Amino acid sequence: MNRLSDIGTIKNILSRHGFTFSKSLGQNFLINPTVCPRMAELSGADEGVGVIEIGPGIGVLTNELCKLADKVVAIELDKRLLPVLDETLSEYDNLKVINADVLKIDLNKLIEDEFSGMEVVVCANLPYYITSPVIMKLLEDKLPVSAITVMVQKEAAQRICAEVGSRQSGAVTVSVNYYAKPEMLFTVSSGSFMPAPKVDSAVIRLNILDEPPVKVIDEKKFFSVVKAAFSQRRKVISNSISSGLSINKAKAFEILEKSGVSQNARAEQLSLQNFADIANNLN
Ligand code: SAM
């Protein structure tokens, strides 16, 4: 068993380092010993593979990743955790911890510098206050990674893994599906963390596509159509794109007709191809 998921061990380490949890940094550490080995295994961490971890905390998942992968680079914002990680992961020489904000660091450069010639995957128990921005940054930066395995709040996981065109879908569903094929792996109860968050979590894997599934002329336009369509999801599409993209109603009708989309459809009923057609017909 990974001793780092033993609650007594964690409390002892943290108290020796005078560490207190920061709610604003989304610090809920895993204490369920079955979760990290499973997550690390399913992430694709393996011989010949490099792993980027975001937010190692005290290193419970990092420990499993270091056992499986050739190299792990863990990005942790809270510098109070650096001496803790020095202690908990001292046995590994295939680990590098970087003190940085994942939203600010140049991940393409990091991959070039640290993982040249290797297959790379991302694996992380994400701080929930930045779930969507982190996932979108990982995808929009077009990193040369094959998969992104992340633990997120269960509701966020369900939204991301919903079918595009279903009632559960949202802007994040469409955006993620442009870059990847999302997959729900398993759920994790709130009692698996210390301190326990109010909601359950789930582990998902985004299998990165070689090419987007639809042809888009201008990606910026595509994402602004998606954003506009879902910003008022109860409105019909002609209203939401006309107000969200500041175009007049007549123009919105024209674009929808050209795209073969009913003006009375709602964002959640549209396919990826519909969004692409609308964006490609905007000029
Ligand atoms: N991986 C550990 C585990 O599973 O027990 C900790 C996960 S905890 C949910 C999230 C971690 O992300 C914390 O260690 C927190 O300090 C770190 N973190 C928060 N914001 C961050 C950011 N912007 N960049 C990098 N790390 C961040």
Side-chain angles (χ1 to χ4, degrees):
M1 193 185 89
N2 181 349
R3 66 190 165 80
L4 289 178
S5 38
D6 172 65
I7 205 164
T9 311
I10 298 177
K11 281 187 172 157
N12 177 288
I13 295 169
L14 294 181
S15 90
R16 271 192 292 103
H17 287 270
F19 182 86
T20 48
F21 291 95
S22 159
K23 218 174 168 183
S24 64
L25 286 180
Q27 290 176 340
N28 301 96
F29 294 168
L30 271 163
I31 51 167
N32 178 337
T34 65
V35 175
C36 292
R38 206 169 158 201
M39 195 173 161
E41 180 87 41
L42 292 170
S43 75
D46 205 348
E47 268 174 41
V49 175
V51 183
I52 299 176
E53 188 193 359
I54 299 153
I58 66 160
V60 62
L61 175 61
T62 328
N63 184 63
E64 300 302 324
L65 294 169
C66 285
K67 282 190 216 163
L68 298 176
D70 270 10
K71 183 171 180 183
V72 177
V73 173
I75 304 163
E76 175 56 62
L77 178 60
D78 188 348
K79 59 171 177 297
R80 298 174 306 154
L81 287 165
L82 302 190
V84 178
L85 288 163
D86 265 350
E87 178 185 330
T88 57
L89 302 171
S90 59
E91 71 198 88
Y92 296 107
D93 58 10
N94 59 341
L95 168 69
K96 181 167 181 178
V97 178
I98 297 179
N99 180 212
D101 182 339
V102 68
L103 291 175
K104 296 191 181 145
I105 193 167
D106 181 343
L107 290 169
N108 269 305
K109 181 165 185 322
L110 182 147
I111 292 175
E112 215 177 287
D113 293 347
E114 304 290 343
F115 299 111
S116 174
M118 291 170 90
E119 180 187 346
V120 182
V121 300
V122 175
C123 185
N125 172 12
L126 285 183
Y128 294 162
Y129 74 107
I130 45 169
T131 298
S132 291
V134 172
I135 290 179
M136 287 320 294
K137 175 184 158 90
L138 295 173
L139 295 171
E140 283 167 1
D141 283 359
K142 302 202 167 124
L143 305 176
V145 302
S146 52
I148 298 171
T149 301
V150 282
M151 170 124 53
V152 299
Q153 286 191 1
K154 194 170 154 193
E155 286 69 22
Q158 285 165 335
R159 178 76 89 193
I160 292 168
C161 296
E163 288 286 323
V164 175
S166 73
R167 282 197 68 180
Q168 295 74 30
S169 67
V172 72
T173 323
V174 179
S175 305
V176 167
N177 273 273
Y178 181 73
Y179 296 107
K181 188 164 172 33
E183 190 184 348
M184 178 75 87
L185 295 182
F186 58 93
T187 54
V188 180
S189 69
S190 64
S192 301
F193 300 88
M194 182 173 78
K198 288 199 180 72
V199 291
D200 291 338
S201 299
V203 179
I204 59 172
R205 188 173 60 209
L206 309 179
N207 301 298
I208 305 298
L209 302 170
D210 292 334
E211 291 284 331
V214 289
K215 205 146 194 69
V216 165
I217 299 164
D218 179 341
E219 288 184 347
K220 234 174 124 194
K221 273 190 189 159
F222 173 78
F223 289 108
S224 57
V225 169
V226 174
K227 196 171 156 213
F230 281 100
S231 62
Q232 296 163 302
R233 57 184 296 142
R234 265 179 237 105
K235 283 199 178 172
V236 294
I237 189 75
S238 47
N239 283 339
S240 53
I241 65 162
S242 134
S243 62
L245 299 173
S246 309
I247 49 177
N248 66 41
K249 270 287 183 49
K251 181 85 185 152
F253 287 152
E254 186 194 314
I255 292 165
L256 290 171
E257 193 176 357
K258 232 171 153 183
S259 311
V261 175
S262 157
Q263 59 193 51
N264 295 321
R266 285 166 212 280
E268 64 200 35
Q269 298 171 314
L270 267 51
S271 67
L272 218 53
Q273 189 62 58
N274 290 150
F275 284 108
D277 291 339
I278 297 171
N280 292 343
N281 286 321
L282 264 178
N283 46 39

